[in-house]
Amino acid sequence: MCAVQLQVRPGTAAFSKGQERVLKILQSAQELMIAGGYHNLTLRKVAAGAGISVGNLNYYYSNKQDLLRDLLDKVIESYVWEFDQVLQSAGESPEDQFVAIVKFIIEDIGTQETTHFFPELWALANHDEYAADRMDALYIKARAVLNHLIAILNPALTESSREQVALFVSASMEGLTPFAGFGKPWATQRPEITNIAAIGFLHLVTSITNESIQGGLSTPKSR
Amino acid sequence: MCAVQLQVRPGTAAFSKGQERVLKILQSAQELMIAGGYHNLTLRKVAAGAGISVGNLNYYYSNKQDLLRDLLDKVIESYVWEFDQVLQSAGESPEDQFVAIVKFIIEDIGTQETTHFFPELWALANHDEYAADRMDALYIKARAVLNHLIAILNPALTESSREQVALFVSASMEGLTPFAGFGKPWATQRPEITNIAAIGFLHLVTSITNESIQGGLSTPKSR
DNA sequence: CAATAAATAGGACCAGTGACCTATTTTATT
DNA sequence: AATAAAATAGGTCACTGGTCCTATTTATTG
């Protein structure tokens, strides 16, 4: 659905049969990306995976860059959608909601899709402006949930400090991907690592002050 | 030095002029990787960057995989070397040493070399066994420093818990790379983020218990 | 049903790319 | 100086990849 909406470039179609095709194409591309990285993403393989010819693929995506961008859009949208879901559910206390989100994200890191796709995204973002933009948009959404809860858990924080804390929490969890993600050396200890993260983040979020964030780097106890 | 030592495959040389050449080749490869990712790393560009012909490059590296592996070895060795330096310096209290290391690592994340190279490494490690092995070896070294200090700061932790905490701390800092690294949206706020990390990690490391890591995920205060 | 648009396949083209080979020059060794 | 080894350039080759073109088939619509 979203993919077809995004496909509004001239010369491309977005109708009946085309909708399924675009979906199949993007799914094929995503599978290739997960299986072998962007390095492994060729139009011929994408076409083969989608069960169509290269010529036909070219009918939907006149160049590789367009396909890549639509792929990024599609995958990122799916994660944004997940975050929106998390934002609604919850229910309990802010603390419990916060911990629930931490657990949700670290659990998601354990899937092959996330473990393999995101490092590709981070690498792409270093050299592709569009990838960088989409990635930024995704994580802004991801941090929105955290920001909301941190504001409740620690009302004294300025907006700037709060966003810095949210960034730290979010980035920290993302950082677990190459270490405790799918098939990684620490994958089996993800439950314990999740506990460490939940405990650490919760204390940090509730106890940190604007002064210590700005301040001259002295430890909390020393001032 | 290290690069030439590693270059012991049959058919290749490691002598007088060859030493400089290998260095130049690897530097050229590293620059290309940083500038455009693995995607941008071609033998012709490497040769051009090193100021030699493709045929000559082939004399030193009979195939691209060997070159990539030597490149990974070289870069990773340089980081290992840095960690060893950090391990020696220090001097102050364990708390100060710990904070110093956190600052050192997050500062390093701000360099273009680190910001661009590591996401490539993480992506490569998803599909290349050798890259995964070398990456693992690197981070074991990086965590060794943290492990050592955590053992002092929190002697009650079991070895397993301590290593999990060290992994969390290390991975968290790495996770900042795509967000607060060189040229990234939060790069300007790296000092504040560093403070947040230092404060959060130090409290976590000194106060966490084996039970809360293993335990049923209850927050510290509730037990 | 005719006509128009959408969808598809097949292939051609051309710019790389990695790998390889050979001849030549430079450097080291005796 | 003579010889062997190392270092280097240049070219070739098979192949892959992105892009483009054309003809054909399949829907859609008036």
Side-chain angles (χ1 to χ4, degrees):
Chain A
M1 165 189 171
C2 62
V4 177
Q5 287 176 342
L6 294 160
Q7 185 62 20
V8 286
R9 299 177 241 294
T12 56
F15 295 109
S16 51
K17 220 167 176 181
Q19 295 205 10
E20 310 165 18
R21 275 296 126 91
V22 169
L23 261 292
K24 275 228 171 186
I25 289 168
L26 292 178
Q27 191 186 338
S28 169
Q30 185 178 4
E31 284 166 7
L32 285 168
M33 189 83 117
I34 291 168
Y38 180 61
H39 181 61
N40 197 41
L41 190 75
T42 74
L43 296 184
R44 279 168 177 78
K45 287 182 187 172
V46 170
I52 62 175
S53 68
V54 186
N56 196 15
L57 173 56
N58 189 248
Y59 172 74
Y60 290 99
Y61 292 99
S62 55
N63 58 63
K64 191 181 181 181
Q65 194 177 39
D66 281 357
L67 170 59
L68 175 64
R69 293 184 170 187
D70 235 22
L71 172 62
L72 294 180
D73 284 335
K74 178 212 167 198
V75 175
I76 286 177
E77 281 302 317
S78 77
Y79 281 95
V80 167
W81 184 85
E82 277 193 44
F83 289 136
D84 286 342
Q85 295 299 309
V86 173
L87 193 54
Q88 282 161 4
S89 60
E92 312 284 322
S93 68
E95 283 88 353
D96 289 345
Q97 285 186 39
F98 183 85
V99 170
I101 285 166
V102 168
K103 288 188 178 178
F104 169 79
I105 292 175
I106 300 183
E107 195 172 324
D108 179 74
I109 278 170
T111 66
Q112 187 180 26
E113 176 184 319
T114 297
T115 300
H116 283 204
F117 189 89
F118 277 72
E120 296 292 335
L121 177 61
W122 302 334
L124 276 172
N126 276 332
H127 315 109
D128 182 316
E129 199 63 42
Y130 187 82
D133 285 350
R134 298 304 302 165
M135 177 184 146
D136 200 33
L138 164 64
Y139 284 110
I140 285 173
K141 274 275 190 178
R143 288 195 300 272
V145 193
L146 295 172
N147 255 302
H148 170 69
L149 290 173
I150 295 173
I152 300 173
L153 291 168
N154 194 338
L157 287 183
T158 64
E159 183 179 353
S160 150
S161 289
R162 191 195 330 132
E163 284 178 347
Q164 287 160 354
V165 171
L167 177 93
F168 172 75
V169 170
S170 171
S172 290
M173 292 189 287
E174 296 300 303
L176 292 171
T177 307
F179 303 97
F182 178 86
K184 299 297 174 183
W186 297 79
T188 57
Q189 301 173 61
R190 209 179 308 123
E192 288 82 10
I193 294 168
T194 304
N195 287 339
I196 294 171
I199 294 168
F201 290 150
L202 193 57
H203 181 272
L204 175 76
V205 158
T206 51
S207 73
I208 200 158
T209 65
N210 295 310
E211 296 75 41
S212 57
I213 294 176
Q214 298 292 329
L217 43 120
S218 55
T219 57
K221 65 160 193 254
S222 70
R223 68 160 36 235
Chain B
M1 164 189 172
C2 62
V4 178
Q5 287 177 338
L6 295 160
Q7 186 62 22
V8 286
R9 300 178 240 295
T12 56
F15 296 109
S16 51
K17 220 168 179 180
Q19 295 204 9
E20 310 165 18
R21 274 296 127 91
V22 169
L23 261 291
K24 276 227 172 184
I25 289 168
L26 292 178
Q27 192 186 339
S28 168
Q30 185 179 3
E31 284 166 6
L32 285 168
M33 188 83 117
I34 291 167
Y38 180 62
H39 182 61
N40 198 39
L41 189 75
T42 73
L43 296 183
R44 277 168 178 80
K45 288 182 186 170
V46 171
I52 61 175
S53 67
V54 187
N56 196 16
L57 173 57
N58 190 247
Y59 172 73
Y60 290 99
Y61 292 98
S62 54
N63 59 63
K64 192 180 180 180
Q65 195 177 38
D66 281 358
L67 170 59
L68 176 64
R69 293 184 171 187
D70 235 22
L71 173 62
L72 294 180
D73 284 336
K74 178 214 169 197
V75 175
I76 286 177
E77 281 302 317
S78 77
Y79 282 94
V80 168
W81 184 85
E82 277 193 43
F83 289 135
D84 286 343
Q85 296 299 309
V86 173
L87 193 54
Q88 281 162 5
S89 61
E92 312 285 323
S93 67
E95 282 88 354
D96 289 345
Q97 286 187 38
F98 183 85
V99 170
I101 285 166
V102 168
K103 288 186 178 175
F104 169 79
I105 291 175
I106 300 183
E107 195 172 322
D108 179 73
I109 277 170
T111 65
Q112 187 180 26
E113 176 184 320
T114 297
T115 300
H116 284 204
F117 189 89
F118 277 74
E120 296 291 335
L121 177 61
W122 303 333
L124 275 172
N126 276 332
H127 315 108
D128 182 317
E129 198 64 40
Y130 188 82
D133 283 352
R134 298 305 302 163
M135 175 184 148
D136 200 33
L138 164 62
Y139 284 111
I140 285 173
K141 273 274 190 180
R143 289 196 300 272
V145 193
L146 295 171
N147 256 304
H148 170 69
L149 289 173
I150 294 173
I152 299 173
L153 291 168
N154 194 338
L157 287 183
T158 63
E159 183 180 353
S160 149
S161 290
R162 192 196 330 133
E163 284 178 346
Q164 286 161 354
V165 170
L167 177 94
F168 172 75
V169 170
S170 171
S172 291
M173 291 188 287
E174 297 300 303
L176 292 170
T177 307
F179 304 96
F182 178 86
K184 299 297 173 183
W186 297 81
T188 57
Q189 301 173 62
R190 209 178 308 124
E192 288 82 9
I193 294 168
T194 304
N195 287 339
I196 295 171
I199 294 167
F201 290 150
L202 194 56
H203 181 273
L204 175 74
V205 158
T206 52
S207 73
I208 200 158
T209 63
N210 295 311
E211 296 75 41
S212 57
I213 294 175
Q214 298 293 330
L217 44 119
S218 54
T219 57
K221 66 160 194 259
S222 69
R223 68 162 32 234

